[in-house]
Amino acid sequence: QVQLVESGGGLVQPGGSLRLSCAASGTIFRINVMGWYRQAPGKERELVASVTSDGSTNYADTVKGRFTISRDNAKNTVYLQMNSLKPEDTAVYYCYARIQSGSIVMSTYWGQGTQVTVSS
């Protein structure tokens, strides 16, 4: 069984920063991609950023230059450093990971979600 546990959400003023963390645990043979999606009220879930096992990153245009994704492969953990936050960044943020667990098949696992609210 694999679990993804997130931390680091909260309330921040516009222009502020937050750092999200997501740690994967359980029976893990290999992790391919790790990343973050977000979902704002009334909107579809959208990809924020992702990082592969060799460090290649991908960002949504709306967060480029403000957010930085990184991962610690030894700790099976992915981070999202969010700077210059805007009210439109308000959403529930979900981490995900493509993990090879008890079989040869890669499966996608999700965290429980963490609320990020940007408001004055």
Side-chain angles (χ1 to χ4, degrees):
Q1 192 73 2
V2 173
Q3 280 190 319
L4 271 60
V5 178
E6 303 162 359
S7 60
L11 172 65
V12 64
Q13 293 186 341
S17 297
L18 282 176
R19 189 190 194 212
L20 305 183
S21 300
C22 174
S25 63
T27 303
I28 297 172
F29 295 144
R30 185 166 65 96
I31 301 178
N32 187 358
V33 179
M34 302 186 81
W36 298 87
Y37 275 76
R38 69 184 180 186
Q39 187 166 20
K43 295 188 177 181
E44 293 186 356
R45 190 176 292 194
E46 63 172 351
L47 177 65
V48 177
S50 62
V51 57
T52 64
S53 56
D54 64 359
S56 296
T57 58
N58 179 52
Y59 295 93
D61 289 341
T62 52
V63 306
K64 282 180 181 177
R66 300 187 298 121
F67 291 10
T68 302
I69 191 169
S70 61
R71 63 190 278 179
D72 185 332
N73 291 329
K75 295 181 179 180
N76 292 333
T77 299
V78 63
Y79 306 95
L80 186 67
Q81 178 65 43
M82 304 185 293
N83 299 328
S84 303
L85 282 160
K86 304 175 181 180
E88 51 264 42
D89 294 317
T90 296
V92 178
Y93 284 70
Y94 299 90
C95 76
Y96 77 99
R98 293 280 292 169
I99 296 174
Q100 182 182 5
S101 182
S103 72
I104 62 173
V105 177
M106 300 288 286
S107 298
T108 300
Y109 295 86
W110 293 89
Q112 78 281 6
T114 185
Q115 177 70 47
V116 172
T117 302
V118 185
S119 175
S120 55

